[in-house]
């Protein structure tokens, strides 16, 4: 849903100008230093980028999903590290509060997240629980008006910068699965919360991850999201539904950039007396990339509109994340191929993007997990349909069409 087309075009236009004139020229320095310059972070704050998806009543831009993905297409034209810094405040770091938080929790944190004064982080993954998120072992034991947290979270994006963590921990050890998990808001600096050293990653330099370690970390009970024990896994899954759609949008922005670089190179590079873009085998790689990119873009826009219309988009979000992240991997691979030897040299952006985009097939749920979710949802629908009478089958079919 687009609320005001003119306002949105103005926003997209200013983000596009900012990305192309300020972020793109800084990409290679960010990759070398592994730091985003403070002046650029200030500019991102000023543009309102940290609060794009936070409701207006808390100082954010309150973008709808369709508006958000359209802005993300622009943002992701530059290195993914820039989007990663604002990504947690708009997505996995704030959505738990927005979707399931109490009024007091919203009031306390959302305005500071929207302004970018506070960076948010989402701590679900652990050393022994990645894809099987419900197997997490971090414990939260109630003691008077507090919970005592113990455990380790791994690969936590923006943890080194974070002021607030959404932490999934087990409050009921008698339940091994999802129902024993609760979500907490833990402030950086709380005694008993420590950070590991920054991870040394394959790509996305400038975007930081590290372990977050809890050792007898006392968290006030009012920091339990929604004030409800046992609801934390569902909160995390709802957050990831949106997160996966946002990542798919990032894949599209990145693929547009990579394809544009590949096309520019193919038009410039001469071999056998003419630009390599004149050769059909090169043209085929460019055309395949464009077609797949268009398909992914259409999927993401459709899913975003459905979410705005209030539909359950778990399946669509997984379809988008699966297709778009695999698509950008293929586009980056072809771009390196088109660049030839130059594609293997760090001077060219495609070498960096090739490594950067590899992460999209892994985080916020691997490609294999997305396939599992898609199949699970489809099987639920089919089994429901099989057990109904003909009349109710018709109703279910109608519901399924609306839901699927
Ligand atoms: N929205 C709301 N509720 C959801 C949900 C969603 N998208 N997905 C699952 N749930 C609910 C289920 O309905 C179920 O509730 P009930 O027990 O009341 O029926 C509960 O959550 C448990 O669901 P399920 O049994 O499907 O959980 P599983 O342990 O089988 O795990 C997957 C499901 C694999 C989908 C989950 O573990 C997952 O997403 N793994 C990947 C984690 C990930 O993305 N990590 C990235 C780190 S964050 S950057």
């Amino acid at each position: 849903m687009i609320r005001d087309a003119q306002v949105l075009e103005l926003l997209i236009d200013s983000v596009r100008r900012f990305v192309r004139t300020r972020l793109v020229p800084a990409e290679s320095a960010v990759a070398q230093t592994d730091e985003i310059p403070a002046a650029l972070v200030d500019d991102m704050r000023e543009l309102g980028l940290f609060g794009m998806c936070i409701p207006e009543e808390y100082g954010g831009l309150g973008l709808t999903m369709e508006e958000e993905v359209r802005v993300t297409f622009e943002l992701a034209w530059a290195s993914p590290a820039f989007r990663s810094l604002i990504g947690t405040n708009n997505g996995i770091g704030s959505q738990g509060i927005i979707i399931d938080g109490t009024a007091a929790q919203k009031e306390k944190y959302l305005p500071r997240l929207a302004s970018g004064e506070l960076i948010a982080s989402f701590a679900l993954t652990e050393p022994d629980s990645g894809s099987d998120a419900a197997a997490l072992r971090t414990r939260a034991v109630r003691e008077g008006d507090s919970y005592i947290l113990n455990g380790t979270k791994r690969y936590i994006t923006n943890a080194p910068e974070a002021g607030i963590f959404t932490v999934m921990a087990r409050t009921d050890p008698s339940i091994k699965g999802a129902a024993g998990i609760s979500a907490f808001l833990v402030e950086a600096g709380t005694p008993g919360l420590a950070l590991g050293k920054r991870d040394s990653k394959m790509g996305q330099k400038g975007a930081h991850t590290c372990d977050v370690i809890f050792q007898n970390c006392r968290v006030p009970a009012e920091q339990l999201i929604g004030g409800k024990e046992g609801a934390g896994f569902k909160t995390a899954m709802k957050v990831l539904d949106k997160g996966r759609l946002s990542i798919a949008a990032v894949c599209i922005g990145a693929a547009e950039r990579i394809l544009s670089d590949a096309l520019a190179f193919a038009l410039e590079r001469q071999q056998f007396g003419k630009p390599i873009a004149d050769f059909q085998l090169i043209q085929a790689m460019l055309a395949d990339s464009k077609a797949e990119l268009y398909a992914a873009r259409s999927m993401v826009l459709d899913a975003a509109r459905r979410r705005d219309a209030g539909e359950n988009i778990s399946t669509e979000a997984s379809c988008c994340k699966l297709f778009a992240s695999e698509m950008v991997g293929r586009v980056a691979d072809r771009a390196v191929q088109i660049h030839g030897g130059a594609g293997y040299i760090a001077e060219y952006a495609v070498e960096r993007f090739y490594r950067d985009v590899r992460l999209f097939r892994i985080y916020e749920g691997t490609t294999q997990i997305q396939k599992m979710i898609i199949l699970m949802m489809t099987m639920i629908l089919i089994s429901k349909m099989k057990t109904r009478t003909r009349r109710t089958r018709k109703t279910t079919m109608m519901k399924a069409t609306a839901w699927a």
Side-chain angles (χ1 to χ4, degrees), residues 92 122 124-125 130-134 178 233-234 237-238 240-241 244 314 363-366 369-370 372-373 376-377:
I92 56 178
F122 180 77
L124 175 66
T125 300
S131 290
D132 186 6
F233 186 80
K234 287 187 187 173
M237 291 300 115
K238 287 183 259 179
L240 285 172
D241 277 349
R244 287 165 181 161
S314 298
Y363 74 172
E364 297 204 22
T366 61
I369 286 294
Q370 306 313 325
M372 216 172 97
I373 294 172
M376 222 153 52
M377 298 292 199

Side-chain angles (χ1 to χ4, degrees), residues 115-341:
S115 67
E117 174 197 334
L118 206 60
I119 304 280
S121 205
F122 180 77
L124 175 66
T125 300
E126 297 184 357
D128 294 318
S129 126
S131 290
D132 186 6
L136 65 83
R137 288 207 209 137
T138 295
R139 284 279 282 122
V141 178
R142 180 89 192 219
E143 206 180 274
D145 287 344
S146 314
Y147 286 87
I148 310 295
L149 267 62
N150 278 289
T152 298
K153 297 292 180 179
R154 181 140 294 171
Y155 312 135
I156 305 306
T157 302
N158 288 338
E161 288 80 19
I164 182 80
F165 297 86
T166 297
V167 182
M168 269 50 70
R170 192 168 299 282
T171 39
D172 187 346
S174 69
I175 307 174
K176 292 277 170 268
I181 296 169
S182 305
F184 295 89
L185 295 166
V186 186
E187 295 187 4
T190 306
L193 186 162
L195 300 181
K197 70 173 176 49
R198 272 195 209 169
D199 298 318
S200 172
K201 308 192 303 316
M202 174 194 282
Q204 301 218 6
K205 300 280 191 245
H208 307 137
T209 63
C210 70
D211 278 6
V212 182
I213 304 138
F214 300 94
Q215 274 180 321
N216 295 324
C217 178
R218 185 178 288 275
V219 178
E222 68 257 24
Q223 299 297 89
L224 173 66
I225 291 187
K228 214 168 114 195
E229 279 191 16
F233 186 80
K234 287 187 187 173
T235 298
M237 291 300 115
K238 287 183 259 179
V239 165
L240 285 172
D241 277 349
K242 178 176 186 294
R244 287 165 181 161
L245 199 45
S246 304
I247 296 294
V250 176
C251 293
I252 287 153
E256 302 262 18
R257 163 69 182 284
I258 297 166
L259 181 56
S260 160
D261 280 14
L263 179 61
F265 185 88
L267 289 167
E268 179 101 18
R269 172 77 174 161
Q270 303 261 336
Q271 286 294 281
F272 305 103
K274 53 184 177 180
I276 61 170
D278 283 356
F279 293 102
Q280 286 183 339
L281 291 176
I282 300 287
Q283 290 169 1
M285 285 194 274
L286 292 165
D288 283 345
S289 297
K290 180 67 190 171
E292 291 178 27
L293 186 39
Y294 175 60
R297 194 184 169 97
S298 305
M299 285 170 80
V300 167
L301 283 168
D302 175 67
R305 286 175 191 135
R306 283 167 183 257
R307 188 176 190 275
D308 287 339
E311 288 182 38
N312 178 327
I313 51 104
S314 298
T315 312
E316 288 74 14
S318 286
C319 290
C320 290
K321 164 75 163 58
L322 160 67
F323 187 80
S325 63
E326 294 287 336
M327 175 280 295
V328 72
R330 289 190 296 271
V331 171
D333 187 67
R334 292 183 196 118
V336 169
Q337 196 66 18
I338 290 167
H339 277 68

